[in-house]
Amino acid sequence: MNSSDDPFEAELRALGESLHVPPPPEAMADRVLTALREPAPKRRFTTKRLVAVVAAVLVVLVAATPQGRAAVAGVLRFAGVEIEIGGAAPVPSGSPAPLPSETSAALAEARSAVAFPLVVPAVLGEPDQVRVADGGQVVSMYWDTIRLDQYDGSLREVWHKELGEPFPQQLWLGTTSGVWIPQQHGVEYLPVGGGAPVSLRLAGPTLIWQHGRVGLRLEGVPDVEEAKRIAASVR
C-alpha cells in the first residue's frame, strides 16, 4: 500500500497540521534520537513501528499544549485501542456486559484457543482466573483487583475508550512505547464480526502497550511505576 493511501497516516498528518506546538522536551528528543541511532541488527525501524511511535508522541504533544487540548475532540489509535479524547467523557453506570461468548479456561487451554502468543507477568505469577472471549480474539487474566487483557493488536482496534482530562500520558517500557491512562474512564469492546460494541463499562487506571504482535491493557494498578514493573516482567 502506498503511504498516501493509508488512512491512519492521513489522520496523523491532518492532526499534526492542526496543532501549533512548542519544541518537544529535550528528554523526548534524546529518546527518539537514541532509537533512530540503534544499529540495524538490533532493530528494524519499519514504517509500522514509526507510525506507532508518532502516535505515542502525539499523545504527549496534545496533552502538553493548550492548542492541542482545545483542538482535539478526535481519536488516537495505539496497540489495538481506539482512544477518543476531548469533551465531557461519559461515566458508565450499571453492571458491565460480558464479552461475546466469554468462557472460563485453564491457562493451557487459553494458549491453544488463540492465534497469538499469550504472556504472563512474572511478578504476578499464574492468574487466578482466565477467560477467553469472541472466538479466541481476547484473553482476560485476573489477579484479585488486577485485570490483563491480551489480543492481536496488529490487525484492528479491539477496544474503544472515551476520555476527558487528564489526557493520557506517553511513557517508555524499555524500548517499547506505552500509554498510561491515570483516571477511571469508559471502555467498550469492538466485536471482531462488527455490529454494536459491547456497552461501556467503567475501567480503572490502565496501561496500554504492545509486546510483539500482542496488544495488552493492564487495568486496576493505580500506581504507574508499579504498572510499569508488572509490564516489564511479561514472559
Side-chain angles (χ1 to χ4, degrees):
M1 178 184 293
N2 189 295
S3 61
S4 62
D5 298 327
D6 188 333
F8 184 26
E9 181 176 340
E11 182 179 343
L12 290 175
R13 289 181 183 277
L15 177 59
E17 292 171 359
S18 71
L19 301 176
H20 175 69
V21 298
E26 185 176 347
M28 176 61 71
D30 290 343
R31 287 172 177 167
V32 173
L33 287 174
T34 298
L36 290 173
R37 289 169 180 163
E38 190 171 335
K42 295 184 180 179
R43 176 192 295 268
R44 295 182 61 200
F45 204 84
T46 62
T47 299
K48 182 177 178 181
R49 180 182 291 275
L50 180 59
V51 169
V53 171
V54 170
V57 171
L58 277 175
V59 172
V60 179
L61 297 180
V62 168
T65 64
Q67 298 94 333
R69 289 193 294 269
V72 175
V75 174
L76 293 174
R77 295 176 175 86
F78 181 81
V81 181
E82 181 180 79
I83 306 174
E84 186 174 347
I85 303 174
V91 178
S93 59
S95 300
L99 298 184
S101 62
E102 189 176 55
T103 57
S104 295
L107 183 57
E109 293 173 332
R111 290 187 191 280
S112 64
V114 300
F116 51 89
L118 291 181
V119 295
V120 175
V123 299
L124 295 179
E126 288 215 3
D128 301 326
Q129 183 182 156
V130 179
R131 300 187 71 83
V132 180
D134 205 4
Q137 298 298 311
V138 177
V139 172
S140 302
M141 299 180 181
Y142 299 86
W143 300 259
D144 194 14
T145 60
I146 297 174
R147 170 174 175 162
L148 177 65
D149 293 310
Q150 300 183 51
Y151 46 91
D152 191 329
S154 64
L155 297 179
R156 67 181 185 95
E157 279 66 60
V158 179
W159 306 92
H160 174 79
K161 294 173 177 282
E162 298 188 11
L163 304 182
E165 295 194 38
F167 285 82
Q169 305 165 14
Q170 187 264 353
L171 47 76
W172 294 91
L173 307 167
T175 58
T176 300
S177 181
V179 171
W180 170 249
I181 301 174
Q183 74 271 40
Q184 291 187 319
H185 58 280
V187 59
E188 59 188 0
Y189 176 73
L190 308 176
V192 66
V198 174
S199 59
L200 277 171
R201 69 172 178 85
L202 187 63
T206 300
L207 177 63
I208 302 164
W209 78 103
Q210 193 150 333
H211 184 80
R213 60 182 281 201
V214 183
L216 300 104
R217 57 178 304 279
L218 177 67
E219 179 185 337
V221 182
D223 179 73
V224 63
E225 293 304 320
E226 178 63 12
K228 289 168 62 177
R229 188 177 77 92
I230 294 172
S233 77
V234 299
R235 301 288 184 272

